[in-house]
Amino acid sequence: MKPSGRGRFITFEGIEGAGKSTQLERMHRRLRDEDRQVVLTREPGGTPLGERLRGLLLDPEVGAMAAETELLLIFAARAEHLREVIEPALAQGAWVLCDRFTDASFAYQGAGRGLGAERVAVLENWLQGDFRPDLVLLLDVPPKVGLERALTRGKRDRIESEDIAFFERARSAYLQRARADVGRYRVIDGGADLETVAAQVDQAWESWWRGIGG
Ligand code: T5A
């Protein structure tokens, strides 16, 4: 069956410095060159209100907050993003490429902060119903590699200031989710050089797209 006129929702996931933004921008250029309608966006953020919430969530001066507060702020930003950007773009037939989505909440708040997957799932189901990404490209790197890359930017943000065990838990949760749903997830070795990762990303989404009749 050929894909319907609805757009496609593709998310890039992985811990800090996995190479998501780099690969996302590359895929965005490629799809645009093919004259597809593409929206590039990110979480937390993607709307004026969401970007302000992102500022609060990442500002080291905000300091500690209850894990529940963090999760609810992220879902508040997500509600805005979903209703104002993602759903309208998909309805118009665009491909939406998103730097992180709800998988990050399972990884960071569910596993990293220890809130547990069940509580994240309650919010996911409440906000999203059965809406999920069509494809999740998970760039997997050991936290040491990812954090070293991310820190070349300089100052750590509020979440990057967590210890390595936090990112180990997040990475494990991502991999566990990918193993549980191999149809929607592709795991890519983000530790390889840029060109090798780019080739793996292309191969992953092209084979997925062919697989659904695109
Ligand atoms: N968050 C988010 C939650 O806690 N819960 C949630 O539900 C959501 C949605 C967002 C933060 O919010 C948290 C997670 C995050 O802590 P962010 O800035 O969107 O923050 O995410 P980061 O992961 O922090 O972004 P980074 O920019 O650090 O990581 P990327 O996008 O994975 O990496 P990228 O592409 O910017 O690359 C980083 C550096 O590495 C180089 C790049 O050139 C760049 O310098 N690089 C490579 N170097 C060598 N080899 C490669 N293959 C490379 N790929 C990239």
Side-chain angles (χ1 to χ4, degrees), residues 12-16 20 43 98-101 104 108 174:
F12 283 68
E13 295 282 0
I15 60 163
E16 331 295 296
K20 299 175 296 297
E43 289 212 348
C98 191
D99 198 337
R100 301 186 182 277
F101 192 61
Y108 282 74
Y174 270 134

Side-chain angles (χ1 to χ4, degrees), residues 43-45 50-63 65-78 109 113 157-160:
E43 289 212 348
E51 291 295 326
R52 289 178 76 167
L53 291 170
R54 177 189 177 92
L56 277 176
L57 283 158
L58 300 187
D59 183 355
E61 288 183 9
V62 168
M65 64 175 77
E68 290 87 348
T69 309
E70 189 175 270
L71 180 66
L72 290 168
L73 285 175
I74 287 168
F75 265 91
R78 182 163 297 138
Q109 283 68 47
R113 299 279 186 226
D157 67 33
R158 198 181 64 84
I159 294 178
E160 283 166 357

Side-chain angles (χ1 to χ4, degrees), residues 111 138 169-181 185 187:
L138 171 58
R169 291 194 292 279
R171 181 191 188 194
S172 299
Y174 270 134
L175 288 171
Q176 198 182 339
R177 291 178 63 72
R179 278 195 296 272
D181 190 353
Y185 290 76
V187 181

Side-chain angles (χ1 to χ4, degrees), residues 18-204:
K20 299 175 296 297
S21 314
T22 307
Q23 298 301 331
L24 190 88
E25 280 159 22
R26 206 185 144 274
M27 181 170 172
H28 182 222
R29 283 196 296 276
R30 159 120 189 245
L31 291 173
R32 246 188 3 209
D33 290 348
E34 291 175 2
D35 282 335
R36 290 184 203 271
Q37 192 188 342
V38 201
V39 172
L40 178 65
T41 188
R42 68 174 183 181
E43 289 212 348
T47 64
L49 176 57
E51 291 295 326
R52 289 178 76 167
L53 291 170
R54 177 189 177 92
L56 277 176
L57 283 158
L58 300 187
D59 183 355
E61 288 183 9
V62 168
M65 64 175 77
E68 290 87 348
T69 309
E70 189 175 270
L71 180 66
L72 290 168
L73 285 175
I74 287 168
F75 265 91
R78 182 163 297 138
E80 196 68 9
H81 194 207
L82 199 55
R83 301 294 178 248
E84 298 301 321
V85 175
I86 299 173
E87 289 173 343
L90 291 173
Q92 285 174 15
W95 285 50
V96 178
L97 305 184
C98 191
D99 198 337
R100 301 186 182 277
F101 192 61
T102 308
D103 282 291
S105 304
F106 281 98
Y108 282 74
Q109 283 68 47
R113 299 279 186 226
L115 283 177
E118 295 73 19
R119 277 203 265 181
V120 181
V122 167
L123 291 177
E124 178 185 49
N125 292 331
W126 176 75
L127 175 65
Q128 297 171 213
D130 60 5
F131 177 82
R132 301 289 181 272
D134 296 300
L135 175 66
V136 181
L137 296 168
L138 171 58
L139 300 183
D140 178 53
V141 287
K144 193 169 172 305
V145 174
L147 288 170
E148 268 167 22
R149 285 185 194 162
L151 294 180
T152 56
R153 273 193 306 256
K155 204 169 160 227
R156 293 170 188 246
D157 67 33
R158 198 181 64 84
I159 294 178
E160 283 166 357
S161 307
E162 289 301 324
D163 61 17
I164 203 127
F166 174 91
F167 296 101
E168 294 285 6
R169 291 194 292 279
R171 181 191 188 194
S172 299
Y174 270 134
L175 288 171
Q176 198 182 339
R177 291 178 63 72
R179 278 195 296 272
D181 190 353
V182 291
R184 275 193 321 115
Y185 290 76
R186 298 289 183 279
V187 181
I188 288 154
D189 174 14
D193 63 81
L194 275 176
E195 285 312 311
T196 307
V197 178
Q200 288 182 61
V201 167
D202 284 347
Q203 202 272 334

